[in-house]
Amino acid sequence: MSQEDKVKKAAELIKNSDYVVAFTGAGISVESGIPDFRSPGGLWERYNPNEYANYFTFLTHPEKYWTMHMELREMVRDAQPNPAHNALATLEHEYGKLKSVITQNVDFLHSRAGNTKVLELHGTAQTSRCLGCDKTFYFTKVEEMLDQGQVPPRCPHCKGLIKTNTILFGEDLPNDVVEQSREEMIAADLLIVIGSSLTVYPAAALPSIAVKTGSRLIIVNKEITPMDIYADVAIQGMAGVILPRILTVLEEIS
Ligand code: APR
């Protein structure tokens, strides 16, 4: 099947669905300037996740995580939603089809694109909290502390360690978000997986729930994923190009 035929099939699947759910990974934000983790040149090629993104290492060497954060923050700060994020917002607001976005990303680009039900499986970098007194800090406040040379940043009230609300390796995912995500997967009659290698559990187990409970499956990813064999259509390509093309066909056939 040609890529154009796959795009057409994807548009038809969306047209014939009532409860569409999107499951996204770092790949959807690459065209916003944020590198993914496992592509060549990805973040984990430059930073060993066991040293820089592991919860227990963070407790003993927090400066490692915050040093990586300092080097990445310009990219995240300048990032804007790209046409793939905007296509998902259109699917929610103009077609009323997209009911939720379940994301592994912490860049809050889906919310900024306008999606209203965004389930952040791996937390968010938008806020941080003090591990001593649990006080919450918005990211602008933490950036201020970092700009003043406070690495790692410490709570101005109790001097406790400040940690972003992203889920590091070794940390549990937020139970309420996982439960809501499971419910969305069961409710979906169409799941669209975008920009994820589907290799990190427990998040990567969620799309299988949708397929096992009867959902159709579209995958849009730069490379083949372990779930392509279960997909009604799997399109290899750049999300920021493919998703707008699917919406163009959807408009033509609607
Ligand atoms: N369009 C579509 N897909 C893309 C694009 C793009 N522009 N760029 C990259 N990809 C694909 C890559 O080919 C890869 O298969 O996106 C996928 C990204 O995979 P990962 O880097 O493994 O990211 P992700 O699946 O989100 O990782 C899951 O692992 O390290 C943890 O917490 C981290 O949330 C992350 C989790």
Side-chain angles (χ1 to χ4, degrees):
M1 189 188 283
S2 72
Q3 194 174 75
E4 214 38 53
D5 290 340
K6 288 182 177 181
V7 165
K8 193 165 180 310
K9 183 171 179 185
E12 283 162 0
L13 283 168
I14 295 171
K15 179 171 179 281
N16 298 326
S17 299
D18 299 312
Y19 203 103
V20 181
V21 170
F23 178 90
T24 68
I28 198 171
S29 296
V30 167
E31 289 156 274
S32 296
I34 303 176
D36 68 10
F37 296 95
R38 294 173 183 82
S39 288
L43 283 179
W44 296 155
E45 221 174 68
R46 285 181 272 159
Y47 300 100
N48 176 347
N50 294 323
E51 268 187 79
Y52 287 89
N54 176 287
Y55 181 67
F56 301 101
T57 312
F58 178 83
L59 296 179
T60 49
H61 295 285
E63 71 287 349
K64 283 190 172 284
Y65 170 85
W66 285 110
T67 304
M68 175 180 72
H69 174 96
M70 293 275 283
E71 289 174 30
L72 301 177
R73 62 182 182 162
E74 270 72 28
M75 286 183 238
V76 179
R77 188 187 287 166
D78 301 342
Q80 297 298 324
N82 68 54
H85 296 104
N86 296 333
L88 293 183
T90 301
L91 270 184
E92 174 181 340
H93 295 292
E94 289 181 33
Y95 290 91
K97 295 274 187 181
L98 188 71
K99 306 301 182 187
S100 60
V101 178
I102 298 166
T103 188
Q104 301 170 93
N105 301 342
V106 299
D107 55 30
F108 43 101
L109 286 176
H110 287 301
S111 307
R112 287 181 54 199
N115 283 116
T116 55
K117 184 166 184 177
V118 181
L119 297 170
E120 294 171 309
L121 286 169
H122 291 166
T124 179
Q126 204 167 26
T127 54
S128 294
R129 76 182 190 285
C130 170
L131 298 184
C133 65
D134 216 27
K135 181 172 172 46
T136 295
F137 298 91
Y138 196 62
F139 76 95
T140 46
K141 178 66 186 157
V142 176
E143 296 306 320
E144 248 174 60
M145 294 185 206
L146 294 168
D147 288 340
Q148 289 156 8
Q150 264 198 65
V151 181
R154 286 197 171 274
C155 174
H157 304 276
C158 77
K159 299 298 171 227
L161 200 47
I162 291 178
K163 177 185 171 297
T164 63
N165 286 326
T166 58
I167 305 296
L168 301 181
F169 287 105
E171 255 188 296
D172 289 336
L173 273 57
N175 283 330
D176 55 337
V177 175
V178 172
E179 198 38 48
Q180 287 176 64
S181 300
R182 284 174 52 82
E183 288 162 10
E184 288 302 301
M185 290 296 178
I186 292 166
D189 58 2
L190 173 63
L191 175 68
I192 309 177
V193 172
I194 307 160
S196 181
S197 61
L198 294 176
T199 53
V200 177
Y201 287 78
L206 286 167
S208 306
I209 296 173
V211 173
K212 283 180 189 145
T213 52
S215 171
R216 311 301 289 274
L217 175 62
I218 296 171
I219 297 177
V220 176
N221 203 60
K222 199 174 69 174
E223 61 194 12
I224 291 173
T225 78
M227 290 233 20
D228 281 26
I229 49 172
Y230 305 107
D232 293 270
V233 58
I235 309 173
Q236 270 81 51
M238 308 294 271
V241 172
I242 300 291
L243 285 180
R245 276 171 51 192
I246 292 173
L247 257 64
T248 301
V249 174
L250 178 63
E251 193 175 340
E252 289 161 3
I253 64 175
S254 295

